[in-house]
Amino acid sequence: MTHPPIRRVAIIGTGVIGASWTALFLSKGLDVTATDVAPGAEARLRGFVDQCWPALEELGLAPGASRDRLAFEPQMEDAVSGADLVQENGPERIDFKRELYAKLDELLPASTLIASSSSGLTMSEIQKACKAHPERCFIGHPFNPPHLIPLVELVGGAQTSPQTIDRAAAFYDGLGKRTVRLKKEVPGHVANRLAAALLREVMYLVDDDVISVADADAAVSYGPGLRWGVMGPMMLYHLGGGAGGIDHWFDQFTGPITAWWSVLGNPKITPDLRAKVTAGVMDEVAKRSIDTLEEQRDRELMGLLKVRAAA
């Protein structure tokens, strides 16, 4: 079956992730209708989009892109009416998701895709509430902030059709995103699991007084993190093998790497460790505001994105 292109997106939940999705979709020339029950949500959303817009202009707007194409509807039923895709960003609670998806399944025609930004819940559990068309539901998990970070993880549930994942990939890739498809569901998907593995070792090294919080951050952002912004770890290990590539890397480093694996930490986040990490983070922050730190993050991300676009 041939489906019409996705031109109108409904956003459910306009917190940090939903607002960032909204800015991205508008910058790509789409019509966006958002809904959120929180008091003052519309004003906060429009303020966020205005704040992001100069950066999106700098990166390049799609033809027809305009903040005027944003509508806000207090009632979810009105917000999703006529949508080609719904990007849901609700609380990470399975009871909430199931109730929401049961309503969406009743309201929307079979051709409308329903995507969840969930960072940990599985679509197999969420879509159990959909009695009519569970096959059009999937995880479309972004990395924060979605209006800048290209990654979108696509994960189907037990009842998701392959055609849905194909449509989703075509849509997000068409917006300049970089989609990855998970072959099976795992808690936390992939990118957050990789980040969690690194975080676990940072916690261990700080707890064991091997390194300070600030120096752990520096060790990542001024070392492997710089390379990871260019190539993934496996490609970098391929380069690390020299002329012999990844096969030579295995020959040379299997022993050392597996020896390190055997002594990686498995810390418990006790009140003492939490206090120690918090104190270290605040020392590193050095009284800079969240807004200031976000501006720095986004400015440097834009620099990397421009370099990649020019490569």
Side-chain angles (χ1 to χ4, degrees):
M1 179 185 296
T2 301
H3 295 279
I6 294 170
R7 301 294 188 196
R8 179 160 183 268
V9 177
I11 298 286
I12 298 177
T14 60
V16 172
I17 298 300
S20 188
W21 271 127
T22 299
L24 172 77
F25 292 144
L26 290 170
S27 76
K28 300 302 181 180
L30 301 177
D31 293 310
V32 180
T33 303
T35 187
D36 195 309
V37 297
E42 180 177 3
R44 285 192 297 273
L45 174 61
R46 293 188 183 278
F48 181 88
V49 171
D50 288 344
Q51 178 183 336
C52 293
W53 205 251
L56 293 167
E57 287 179 318
E58 191 174 337
L59 291 172
L61 299 177
S66 172
R67 286 169 284 182
D68 294 337
R69 298 179 77 162
L70 172 61
F72 191 93
E73 291 287 351
Q75 299 299 317
M76 184 192 73
E77 294 81 359
D78 296 329
V80 302
S81 177
D84 302 310
L85 177 142
V86 174
Q87 187 80 43
E88 170 270 313
N89 313 278
E92 290 282 279
R93 300 200 320 267
I94 191 63
D95 57 336
F96 175 90
K97 299 285 192 190
R98 284 179 176 167
E99 182 178 354
L100 173 61
Y101 276 65
K103 291 179 182 177
L104 292 173
D105 195 42
E106 292 176 357
L107 288 169
L108 296 168
S111 60
T112 300
L113 295 180
I114 307 175
S116 177
S117 297
S118 174
S119 60
L121 299 176
T122 64
M123 184 48 65
S124 289
E125 290 301 315
I126 296 171
Q127 68 189 172
K128 287 179 179 179
C130 300
K131 304 305 181 186
H133 296 289
E135 73 282 351
R136 41 78 177 275
C137 302
F138 66 99
I139 299 290
H141 175 244
F143 236 54
N144 190 40
H147 69 280
L148 294 180
I149 300 289
L151 179 67
V152 180
E153 295 179 302
L154 301 178
V155 197
Q159 301 178 78
T160 305
S161 71
Q163 292 77 18
T164 289
I165 299 299
D166 288 342
R167 283 184 68 197
F171 169 66
Y172 292 116
D173 287 340
L175 301 181
K177 307 299 278 182
R178 178 63 167 87
T179 57
V180 296
R181 303 188 189 197
L182 274 64
K183 298 178 182 179
K184 61 174 69 174
E185 294 173 303
V186 290
H189 317 317
V190 168
N192 275 334
R193 289 176 70 94
L194 295 173
L198 177 60
L199 176 62
R200 183 176 71 176
E201 187 62 11
V202 168
M203 291 284 187
Y204 167 72
L205 294 171
V206 170
D207 191 33
D208 202 42
D209 286 326
V210 173
I211 198 167
S212 69
V213 169
D215 280 350
D217 274 351
V220 174
S221 62
Y222 286 89
L226 281 175
R227 299 190 305 183
W228 292 335
V230 178
M231 292 181 181
M234 301 318 299
M235 282 293 288
L236 290 166
Y237 289 136
H238 178 60
L239 294 180
I246 191 66
D247 281 333
H248 183 64
W249 181 89
F250 275 117
D251 290 340
Q252 293 291 106
F253 296 106
T254 294
I257 288 287
T258 53
W260 299 339
W261 284 350
S262 68
V263 294
L264 291 176
N266 189 23
K268 305 298 182 185
I269 301 184
T270 62
D272 286 346
L273 176 55
R274 176 173 173 170
K276 186 175 184 178
V277 170
T278 298
V281 169
M282 297 315 296
D283 284 344
E284 187 179 359
V285 166
K287 298 184 179 180
R288 290 172 293 173
S289 69
I290 293 292
D291 288 345
T292 298
L293 292 169
E294 286 180 342
E295 288 171 8
Q296 177 186 344
R297 177 200 65 190
D298 293 353
R299 182 174 62 251
E300 296 187 18
L301 282 173
M302 285 182 60
L304 177 58
L305 291 170
K306 289 178 182 177
V307 169
R308 282 193 154 185

